[in-house]
């Protein structure tokens, strides 16, 4: 299995931000997106995750294979950590949340209402959500925000385990996670000019 982008262009608010994005991500590999704030990394990740359409180009291998973690943690405040993970597991036809709890040291917090957690604890729970989906492609936008050093190590280990099992990871991050399998793509040279839009718009998807 692989994720392949061919000459993809993406827009934010109807304005093109990246064009000519092409890469192939194979099983067991990670790709880290780099570039300054506002360069289009989030828009590209959202497009690959299917949250908005590309302006042009082809995305192959993402359909029904992606688990996405953006800036929101994807958790319900009035449910416990365990209830949140069970909810997401059920959506993807899975039941076992034990490995996800263990990977992020969440077992002691399993019965706590998510709304009472610290920002870092919520982030750990949100990242644990990826593990219960069973999806092979993890797409992560600044996943280490609010994490302390120990939690960053937990996350890096979880990604390594996912890759070792044949999964893939596509990340926008400025943190060195020590991923030996990671390639780096700097999106700065791929920034699009407004004339590249050709009348297309993604406003309905924002």
């Amino acid at each position: 299995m692989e994720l392949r982008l061919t000459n993809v262009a993406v827009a934010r608010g109807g304005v093109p931000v990246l064009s000519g994005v092409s890469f192939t991500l194979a099983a067991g590999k990670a790709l880290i997106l780099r570039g300054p704030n506002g360069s289009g990394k989030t828009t590209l990740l959202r497009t690959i995750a299917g949250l908005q359409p590309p302006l042009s180009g082809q995305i192959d291998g993402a359909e029904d294979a992606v688990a996405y973690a953006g800036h929101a943690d994807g958790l319900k405040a009035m449910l416990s950590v365990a209830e949140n993970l069970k909810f997401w597991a059920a959506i993807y036809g899975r039941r076992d949340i034990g490995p996800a709890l263990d990977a992020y040291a969440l077992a002691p917090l399993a019965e706590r209402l998510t709304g009472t957690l610290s920002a870092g604890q919520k982030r750990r729970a949100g990242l644990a959500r990826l593990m219960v989906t069973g999806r092979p492609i993890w797409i992560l936008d600044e996943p280490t925000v609010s994490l302390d050093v120990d939690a960053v190590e937990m996350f890096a280990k979880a990604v390594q385990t996912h890759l070792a099992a044949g999964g893939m990871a596509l990340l926008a991050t400025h943190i060195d996670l020590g991923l030996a399998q990671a390639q780096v793509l700097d999106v700065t040279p791929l920034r699009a000019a407004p004339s590249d839009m050709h009348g297309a718009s993604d406003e309905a998807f924002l």
Side-chain angles (χ1 to χ4, degrees):
M1 181 180 182
E2 64 181 21
L3 172 66
R4 182 185 296 272
L5 270 67
T6 306
N7 202 29
V8 169
V10 300
R12 179 174 58 242
V15 177
V17 290
L18 293 174
S19 64
V21 182
S22 297
F23 65 79
T24 299
L25 184 61
K29 300 296 183 180
L31 178 66
I32 297 175
L33 301 181
R34 292 278 165 77
N37 291 339
S39 59
K41 301 185 299 295
T42 292
T43 303
L44 179 60
L45 293 178
R46 285 174 51 84
T47 301
I48 298 171
L51 299 178
Q52 64 182 64
L55 288 178
S56 60
Q58 185 72 29
I59 300 174
D60 297 302
E63 187 174 359
D64 298 326
V66 165
Y68 174 72
H71 296 162
D73 293 316
L75 305 170
K76 294 184 179 292
M78 296 309 295
L79 295 180
S80 69
V81 171
E83 288 170 334
N84 270 288
L85 293 180
K86 288 176 181 177
F87 169 81
W88 284 108
I91 286 179
Y92 293 96
R94 300 167 66 87
R95 293 185 178 182
D96 188 8
I97 66 169
L101 290 173
D102 293 340
Y104 288 96
L106 291 169
L109 303 173
E111 303 308 317
R112 285 266 303 272
L113 292 181
T114 306
T116 68
L117 301 180
S118 70
Q121 291 168 335
K122 289 178 183 176
R123 193 61 171 170
R124 280 157 50 199
L127 293 172
R129 178 174 55 89
L130 296 174
M131 297 183 64
V132 305
T133 66
R135 292 289 178 93
I137 303 174
W138 289 1
I139 295 183
L140 305 116
D141 191 5
E142 299 295 347
T144 59
V145 170
S146 300
L147 297 183
D148 59 22
V149 173
D150 290 340
V152 169
E153 291 183 1
M154 293 177 196
F155 169 69
K157 184 176 180 180
V159 174
Q160 290 278 20
T161 300
H162 180 64
L163 299 179
M168 292 168 271
L170 179 59
L171 312 90
T173 181
H174 298 286
I175 301 295
D176 182 4
L177 298 171
L179 300 175
Q181 309 93 325
Q183 309 166 55
V184 175
L185 174 62
D186 185 351
V187 302
T188 306
L190 302 173
R191 298 190 69 170
S195 58
D196 293 335
M197 186 171 64
H198 300 304
S201 173
D202 67 342
E203 290 176 349
F205 294 85
L206 298 180

